[in-house]
C-alpha cells in the first residue's frame, strides 16, 4: 500500500552500540529495495540497496537483510555514531520506477 | 558530480494561487520523479518523467502536473493551492533503468 506517516517509532541507542531498524513491505512482486536516511531540513540520502535475488548486502558499517518469505527488511548499523541520528526510511520499487516508502523510524544516538 | 538541485528552497503562497517548482537532475540522469512529504502521509509518489514523457503517475488530483525539458530538467506545477498542499516537495533523479534514485534537498511550500 501507500506510505502512511503517522507516529514514527523511535529507536534510541548508545553511541558505539549496533542499531537494527526494521521495515515491512507490502508488495511481494517488488524486486528492488532501498534504505534512505533523512536528516532535518534535508532530502533523503541513499544508504544501501538490495535486489530481491539477494538475502544480504553489506556496505560500510551498514548491512541490509531481506526476508522475502515474510516481506521484511532490516538495516543494521554497526558502531552507531551521533551523526547517524536521523529518520530512516525503507522503500520498495513498484510499478516501474515508482518508490513506495515506509513510515520511517527515528534513530536517536545517545552520547 | 553535482547532486540534484531544487529551486526555490522555500515558498509561501496563499490559497487559490498556483506555484511552479524546479528540479535539475544529476548530469546524465534522464528520469526525474517527484514526491510529496507531509507529517501525516509520509512520502508519496507524484509522478515520474523520462525523456520528456510522463512515465508514471501517483494518486494526486489533476491540479498537480509536471513536465520535463530536453535537458532533463523538470518542473512541477500545482494550481489552485489548498492548505493541505503545504509540504516538502522532493525530486529524485536516476538513469531511468531501475537503478537508485537520488534526492534533492526539497522545496518547502507553505500555503496560507
Amino acid at each position: 500500500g501507500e506510505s502512511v506517516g503517522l507516529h514514527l517509532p523511535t529507536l534510541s541507542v548508545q553511541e558505539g552500540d549496533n542499531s537494527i531498524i526494521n521495515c515491512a513491505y507490502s508488495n511481494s512482486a517488488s524486486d528492488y529495495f532501498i534504505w534512505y536516511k533523512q536528516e532535518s531540513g534535508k532530502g533523503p540520502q541513499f544508504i544501501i540497496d538490495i535486489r530481491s535475488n539477494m538475502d544480504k548486502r553489506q556496505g560500510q558499517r551498514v548491512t541490509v537483510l531481506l526476508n522475502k518469505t515474510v516481506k521484511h527488511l532490516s538495516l543494521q548499523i554497526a558502531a552507531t555514531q551521533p551523526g547517524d541520528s536521523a529518520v530512516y526510511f525503507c522503500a520498495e520499487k513498484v510499478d516501474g520506477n515508482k518508490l513506495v516508502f515506509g513510515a520511517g523510524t527515528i534513530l536517536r544516538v545517545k552520547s | 558530480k553535482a547532486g540534484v538541485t531544487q529551486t526555490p528552497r522555500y515558498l509561501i503562497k496563499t490559497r487559490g494561487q498556483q506555484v511552479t517548482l524546479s528540479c535539475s537532475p544529476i548530469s546524465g540522469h534522464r528520469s526525474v520523479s517527484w514526491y510529496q512529504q507531509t507529517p501525516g502521509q509520509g512520502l508519496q509518489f507524484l509522478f515520474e518523467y523520462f525523456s520528456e514523457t510522463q512515465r508514471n503517475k501517483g494518486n494526486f488530483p489533476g491540479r498537480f502536473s509536471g513536465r520535463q525539458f530536453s535537458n532533463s530538467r523538470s518542473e512541477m506545477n500545482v494550481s489552485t493551492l489548498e492548505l493541505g498542499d503545504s509540504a516538502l516537495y522532493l525530486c529524485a533523479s536516476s538513469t531511468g533503468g531501475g537503478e537508485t534514485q537520488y534526492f534533492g534537498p526539497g522545496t518547502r511550500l507553505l500555503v496560507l
Side-chain angles (χ1 to χ4, degrees):
Chain A
E2 298 296 333
S3 168
V4 178
L6 300 173
H7 300 286
L8 300 186
T10 299
L11 175 66
S12 291
V13 300
Q14 198 67 38
E15 181 180 358
D17 287 351
N18 296 334
S19 303
I20 299 177
I21 300 171
N22 296 302
C23 173
Y25 64 92
S26 57
N27 192 333
S28 56
S30 296
D31 63 358
Y32 182 59
F33 305 88
I34 311 171
W35 280 99
Y36 287 96
K37 169 188 180 184
Q38 188 174 27
E39 297 173 280
S40 181
K42 297 183 179 180
Q45 175 189 351
F46 170 82
I47 301 173
I48 191 168
D49 58 1
I50 188 168
R51 296 203 177 272
S52 60
N53 60 354
M54 302 173 71
D55 297 323
K56 178 179 178 179
R57 188 158 191 234
Q58 288 184 289
Q60 188 174 10
R61 279 202 310 120
V62 294
T63 301
V64 55
L65 298 177
L66 174 62
N67 185 329
K68 294 181 285 295
T69 303
V70 294
K71 293 190 286 187
H72 184 268
L73 269 174
S74 68
L75 176 70
Q76 300 177 4
I77 304 174
T80 313
Q81 302 168 0
D84 295 326
S85 293
V87 181
Y88 289 80
F89 294 95
C90 66
E92 57 181 311
K93 189 166 72 69
V94 303
D95 189 18
N97 224 21
K98 171 183 175 180
L99 292 177
V100 173
F101 284 83
T105 296
I106 299 170
L107 176 64
R108 294 194 207 279
V109 182
K110 298 175 284 188
S111 299
Chain B
K1 253 188 199 179
V4 179
T5 58
Q6 292 187 246
T7 57
R9 292 295 312 279
Y10 304 94
L11 265 180
I12 301 176
K13 293 285 187 178
T14 56
R15 278 181 299 173
Q17 288 187 309
Q18 65 98 26
V19 68
T20 299
L21 313 181
S22 180
C23 172
S24 292
I26 292 171
S27 176
H29 284 189
R30 295 167 64 192
S31 167
V32 174
S33 297
W34 289 89
Y35 293 82
Q36 181 196 64
Q37 186 175 27
T38 60
Q41 297 297 315
L43 277 147
Q44 294 195 301
F45 174 79
L46 281 156
F47 31 66
E48 181 207 4
Y49 284 86
F50 180 80
S51 292
E52 301 178 66
T53 302
Q54 187 179 86
R55 190 159 71 167
N56 206 342
K57 189 176 188 304
N59 297 322
F60 280 82
R63 300 185 297 107
F64 292 82
S65 62
R67 59 178 175 166
Q68 187 179 34
F69 302 94
S70 58
N71 61 358
S72 294
R73 189 177 70 85
S74 177
E75 290 181 345
M76 68 163 281
N77 184 276
V78 188
S79 62
T80 320
L81 284 164
E82 300 177 0
L83 296 179
D85 296 333
S86 294
L88 180 67
Y89 290 89
L90 293 156
C91 82
S93 79
S94 71
T95 59
E99 289 78 25
T100 304
Q101 294 181 35
Y102 296 92
F103 282 83
T107 294
R108 174 77 61 186
L109 173 64
L110 176 62
V111 182
L112 301 176

